Amino acid sequence: MDFALILFVLVVLTGIAWVADKLVFLPHRRLAADAAVVEFDRQQARIGERFADENAPQTRARLRDEKLRQPWWLEYTASFFPVILVVFLVRSFVVEPFKIPSGSMVPTLVVGDFILVNKFEYGLRLPIVNTKITQGSPLKRGDVVVFRYPKDESVDYIKRVIGLPGDTVAYENKRLTINGKLIPETPLPDYFDEERIGYAKQFEEDLEGRKHAILNNPAVPPFVMGAEDYPYRDNCSYNSAGVVCKVPAGHYFMMGDNRDNSLDSRFDPGEVAPGEASCPWNRDLDRSISYDQGVGFVPAEDLVGKADMILFSWKTGPDGASLFKPWTWFTAARVGRFFHTLQ
């Protein structure tokens, strides 16, 4: 089940309890508290000053508090409503946290990064129904975005925007061309990939002045396998050198920065593998998809938001951070990646 739907149900249930408490149960408790205090004062007056409770004010206050206290079932519903509501609104309209579990965006994003995704940059959408209510800013080439997997909207992907609606995108012989213009690449020092424990060829790609690092292994064949039948398949031409695609209206062409380890718009979107659904409490990106499937063209309505910042980052694997080993929270921290703005 989608985490947004779970939160919405909790908001509704706790909200009903909160309203019922304010309008019905709390007034009854106040009447009971007032009646108890009146009865206490009457008893104190009847027994006289000599035998009266020496701590009458404190006893009166304690008695009133006991009568005003919520029953356990209201304490665990109505009391949590404000917190759940704030989480729901912030997550739906402001920012949403995600964890990176795969290497498709290396070196920009690595496994173990925790990122914040801006939910209003491209226009606000109503949660659950996904109806757009504000226009927002248009996507730009080079934006790093989170989007729903077209075949299963409960699964999220993260890639870089390469082609806008109407663009002609070519990825042939391991080089990117947009609308007939070859995108400049500058060699960088080799990148050490922690996940694969080895060095990879690294380049700086310049997308209309927006520079970012990519990994591209010249030894990997350039042709694309597995492209069969998917929406707007006729917009693409596959050959031994790679692929050329005309981006349809209302769609985007996405690619990962780890060009030889990213299933993206170059590949046919397939079905989610059985048993691969992601846990909504641990929002993993890219992990929930069978690793023999891509995403095809991404519809505008599937956009979730723009990835703005790496909030925290921890190493993974045997030397990574563990919940049950508190010292690893410090030894496995990639402090240099904390609060890093994405390019």
Side-chain angles (χ1 to χ4, degrees):
M1 183 183 292
D2 189 88
F3 189 41
L5 181 58
I6 295 174
L7 275 179
F8 178 73
V9 171
L10 290 175
V11 167
V12 171
L13 294 178
T14 58
I16 291 173
W18 185 83
V19 171
D21 184 46
K22 297 298 182 184
L23 298 181
V24 179
F25 301 116
L26 180 57
H28 279 279
R29 294 201 303 274
R30 283 174 175 166
L31 289 175
D34 291 341
V37 170
V38 169
E39 176 62 21
F40 175 78
D41 290 342
R42 188 181 65 79
Q43 291 179 359
Q44 292 297 298
R46 186 174 59 193
I47 62 179
E49 183 178 348
R50 181 178 177 182
F51 299 101
D53 188 346
E54 296 180 354
N55 300 312
Q58 293 85 345
T59 304
R60 186 184 292 107
R62 184 174 66 253
L63 183 61
R64 184 176 182 82
D65 290 342
E66 289 176 355
K67 294 295 182 181
L68 288 174
R69 185 178 302 139
Q70 292 176 321
W72 68 267
W73 60 273
L74 269 179
E75 186 175 353
Y76 285 99
T77 53
S79 297
F80 284 102
F81 169 67
V83 175
I84 296 175
L85 178 63
V86 169
V87 171
F88 179 74
L89 293 177
V90 169
R91 183 186 179 277
S92 299
F93 300 115
V94 185
V95 293
E96 183 177 359
F98 289 87
K99 187 186 82 172
I100 303 297
S102 77
S104 70
M105 283 295 292
V106 172
T108 303
L109 296 169
V110 300
V111 177
D113 284 349
F114 288 80
I115 66 172
L116 289 181
V117 173
N118 184 321
K119 300 298 289 285
F120 55 85
E121 176 74 17
Y122 304 132
L124 294 175
R125 292 181 180 271
L126 291 176
I128 313 302
V129 295
N130 199 35
T131 301
K132 196 170 185 179
I133 55 177
T134 65
Q135 187 61 33
S137 303
L139 274 73
K140 302 181 183 66
R141 296 187 192 92
D143 286 355
V144 178
V145 302
V146 173
F147 56 91
R148 297 180 181 86
Y149 179 57
K151 290 282 186 176
D152 183 354
E153 293 189 353
S154 67
V155 177
D156 297 304
Y157 259 44
I158 184 166
K159 304 292 179 187
R160 189 178 296 276
V161 179
I162 299 297
L164 304 177
D167 283 350
T168 298
V169 178
Y171 190 72
E172 296 181 303
N173 297 316
K174 315 304 289 293
R175 291 299 304 270
L176 179 63
T177 302
I178 301 177
N179 297 327
K181 179 183 178 182
L182 185 66
I183 302 303
E185 286 184 5
T186 304
L188 295 175
D190 288 354
Y191 175 84
F192 181 75
D193 191 337
E194 294 179 359
E195 186 179 7
R196 295 176 176 268
I197 314 178
Y199 286 91
K201 293 295 182 182
Q202 184 176 204
F203 301 86
E204 182 182 71
E205 188 174 74
D206 188 342
L207 269 178
E208 299 180 335
R210 303 185 69 177
K211 298 179 179 180
H212 56 273
I214 63 170
L215 300 185
N216 201 336
N217 185 355
V220 176
F223 59 85
V224 176
M225 298 181 62
E228 298 178 358
D229 186 28
Y230 59 93
Y232 300 103
R233 168 64 178 80
D234 293 341
N235 284 40
C236 293
S237 173
Y238 292 87
N239 54 61
S240 60
V243 60
V244 179
C245 290
K246 177 78 171 180
V247 185
H251 291 71
Y252 299 91
F253 192 94
M254 308 286 190
M255 292 180 70
D257 289 346
N258 193 348
R259 295 293 159 80
D260 298 310
N261 188 30
S262 173
L263 292 167
D264 43 43
S265 291
R266 294 171 288 175
F267 298 89
D268 171 22
E271 300 294 337
V272 176
E276 292 286 332
S278 62
C279 172
W281 301 97
N282 184 15
R283 301 306 304 277
D284 283 356
L285 299 168
D286 289 347
R287 174 170 266 172
S288 329
I289 300 299
S290 169
Y291 278 97
D292 58 356
Q293 305 295 352
V295 300
F297 297 112
V298 177
E301 58 267 24
D302 286 343
L303 297 174
V304 173
K306 180 182 178 183
D308 275 343
M309 173 185 290
I310 300 172
L311 190 61
F312 306 114
S313 183
W314 280 273
K315 295 177 183 177
T316 58
D319 298 326
S322 171
L323 179 64
F324 304 104
K325 298 177 181 178
W327 63 90
T328 63
W329 303 349
F330 304 95
T331 59
R334 301 186 186 106
V335 179
R337 298 183 66 82
F338 282 25
F339 308 109
H340 176 70
T341 302
L342 293 177
Q343 300 297 325

